[in-house]
Each structure stands twice: as structure tokens, then as C-alpha cells.
Amino acid sequence: MSRRNVISIDLLASDLQQIMSAFESIEQLLQGKLTNISPEDRQRYGSVNEQAKLFVFKAHDFYRAKGQLLPSYFDAVEYEKDFEGRKAFEQMESRISELYEKVRDTRTLLDYDTLQYSYSLYRHLKNMSQEDIPGIDFWLEEMSQFFKRSTNNGLEEQSNDEAEPPIVE
């Protein structure tokens, strides 16, 4: 695997347009069905762990088998709607999470590639500057600001050495 080209993607403008259009369609379909809650509400409501999910499913099994035994104040319609909605949103969340991870990983590799190519361009600029090619020093100065090095007295100074800028997370 090349150090400078770990991934190669051809994403056409028409592909990107279709993808963004699909996202817009999904957003429209979900309009009025999604909500944001505050961090405090997330803390208050929490999330259901696997053990609690098993409890929810067991309770639903009871409801299906013996629902006629429930009191009249039990809102069976709302319970069933919430239960089915919960299942649907869990499926959506799973698909979105898988897709998000793939998109993030692909972007990470593309970030790596573009950073490696940028280092190469910077090194090339330094060589061109040493050869006194006109118009290069401005660009070298612009890019050099991202490279810092400590001096013996602890102060930072601009450096044109081969160190990589501290922009990789």
C-alpha cells in the first residue's frame, strides 16, 4: 500500500448530488417524527441497556398473550405504537451507524492521503524556493506557518524543517 495514496475514490458530482438528494428525501420523510432532547433530558431519560431491552420484549410478549387482563386505563394503542416505533427507529439507527462508520473511515483515509500529498507539495515548494523560482516564497511562507518548533529557550519559532504540522488528530 502506498504511503501517499491509501485510497482512491471517484465520486462524481452527479453521484454526490444523488446522495444529497436521498438525504433530503429521508429528512422529509422523517419531518415531524424526530426530536432533539437536551443533554439534561438525555441524562434524565437515559438509554435502555440490553438487559432492559429483554425486559421490554418480555413485557410485550405478555401484552400479546394476555393483553385482555390489563386494566382499562392501560393505553394499549399508544403502547403498541411506541413499541413498533422503537423497533423501527432502532433499525434506522443501526443502518445509519453502519453507514456513518464507513463514511467516517473513508474520509479518514482521504484525509490521510491529502495530508501526505500536502507534505509532498510543501517539500517541493521548499526546493523551488531554493532555486529562486518567482512567486514561490509567498506560498512557502503561507504554508510554513503550520510548522512550529521549540527553541532551546522554550519559545516557539517558525521552522522550515521536515517536521509535520501538529494537525493530525
Side-chain angles (χ1 to χ4, degrees):
M1 184 181 280
S2 172
R3 208 179 99 194
R4 211 179 294 149
N5 192 29
V6 295
I7 191 169
S8 183
I9 302 288
D10 289 324
L11 186 62
L12 303 175
S14 60
D15 294 337
L16 185 57
Q17 185 179 4
Q18 284 182 321
I19 291 165
M20 297 312 279
S21 179
F23 282 132
E24 287 175 24
S25 294
I26 291 168
E27 287 174 343
Q28 288 173 1
L29 287 167
L30 290 172
Q31 193 168 9
K33 296 172 179 67
L34 298 177
T35 187
N36 280 10
I37 58 175
S38 67
E40 294 81 20
D41 283 344
R42 275 190 203 97
Q43 186 74 30
R44 180 177 9 168
Y45 297 122
S47 63
V48 176
N49 64 24
E50 289 304 313
Q51 187 71 23
K53 278 187 209 176
L54 293 174
F55 172 74
V56 167
F57 289 133
K58 193 55 70 177
H60 191 259
D61 289 345
F62 169 78
Y63 163 77
R64 286 277 173 99
K66 300 289 185 176
Q68 72 277 9
L69 300 176
L70 295 170
S72 60
Y73 59 82
F74 185 84
D75 190 344
V77 172
E78 186 62 29
Y79 172 70
E80 191 64 29
K81 189 169 78 170
D82 287 350
F83 184 83
E84 292 302 320
R86 189 217 149 288
K87 283 189 339 188
F89 278 93
E90 184 177 46
Q91 288 174 330
M92 285 186 264
E93 184 182 16
S94 176
R95 294 284 305 271
I96 290 168
S97 293
E98 290 172 16
L99 184 59
Y100 170 76
E101 187 173 324
K102 290 176 184 177
V103 167
R104 185 191 62 213
D105 290 349
T106 302
R107 187 208 30 93
T108 297
L109 293 178
L110 291 167
D111 282 350
Y112 178 84
D113 278 358
T114 57
L115 186 60
Q116 297 310 309
Y117 279 110
S118 297
Y119 291 148
S120 180
L121 285 170
Y122 178 72
R123 288 189 299 272
H124 187 64
L125 272 175
K126 286 177 29 179
N127 291 335
M128 289 172 32
S129 176
Q130 290 173 350
E131 296 296 324
D132 292 326
I133 295 176
I136 295 302
D137 288 340
F138 167 79
W139 292 105
L140 183 61
E141 208 172 292
E142 287 290 304
M143 293 175 73
S144 292
Q145 68 182 323
F146 296 99
F147 294 84
K148 297 201 182 235
R149 184 178 71 186
S150 292
T151 62
N152 289 341
N153 63 11
L155 298 174
E156 289 186 353
E157 67 179 24
Q158 298 296 344
S159 171
N160 288 336
D161 65 2
E162 294 296 319
E164 296 177 354
I167 55 178
V168 178
E169 296 177 13

